[in-house]
Amino acid sequence: SLKALPFVAIATVVAFRNTCTVVIAIVDYFVFGNKFNTYQVASLAATTAGMILYAIQDINYNAVGYMWLVGNSVATIINTFWNKFYITHYTKELKIQTSYGVSFIQQVETIPIVLFLDI
């Protein structure tokens, strides 16, 4: 999302972050069977409506900025589910890794991405 900031407003970055939350909730429901109560569904619907209204009226629209934000959002969503599988598998099922160990591994996993973006 830092690559997008020269092209879009901070509010656009926030809207895309909210999109991640909604997409993650939808995948969580259909893939993992997690249930949401009425208030949670209403909140997700309100968030989605707000994001759509913002996107339609975005006076700072920039295709390059939106491209960076879409890429960042996809990476965030993939990372969320990768971590969900990984943490569940190693900390709860196998009981061979602590939460500190998982956190360390997650930080090490980001090094290649940071180095690539530094180029």
Side-chain angles (χ1 to χ4, degrees), residues 3 15 18 29 35-36 43 53 63 65 69 90 96 100 105 108:
K3 293 279 192 178
N18 289 337
Y29 176 80
K35 305 294 182 210
F36 299 100
S43 297
L53 286 173
L69 289 173
Y90 286 103
I96 60 173
Y100 294 111
I105 292 167
V108 171

Side-chain angles (χ1 to χ4, degrees), residues 38-74:
T38 306
Y39 295 115
Q40 291 168 325
V41 172
S43 297
L44 290 169
T47 300
T48 302
M51 291 179 306
I52 291 169
L53 286 173
Y54 177 82
I56 290 170
Q57 299 178 8
D58 186 7
I59 60 173
N60 296 318
Y61 173 78
N62 181 288
V64 174
Y66 270 59
M67 178 201 66
W68 279 111
L69 289 173
V70 167
N72 181 268
S73 297
V74 168

Side-chain angles (χ1 to χ4, degrees), residues 5-6 10 20 24-25 30 32 34 39 46 58 60 65 75 79 83 92 116:
L5 282 177
I10 291 176
C20 293
I24 289 167
F30 285 108
F32 298 105
N34 290 337
Y39 295 115
D58 186 7
N60 296 318
N79 183 54
N83 287 337
K92 293 181 181 171
F116 174 75

Side-chain angles (χ1 to χ4, degrees), residues 6 12 16-17 19 36 49 51 57 59 61 93 96 111 119:
T12 306
F16 269 84
R17 284 291 189 187
T19 303
F36 299 100
M51 291 179 306
Q57 299 178 8
I59 60 173
Y61 173 78
E93 293 173 13
I96 60 173
I111 291 173
I119 294 176

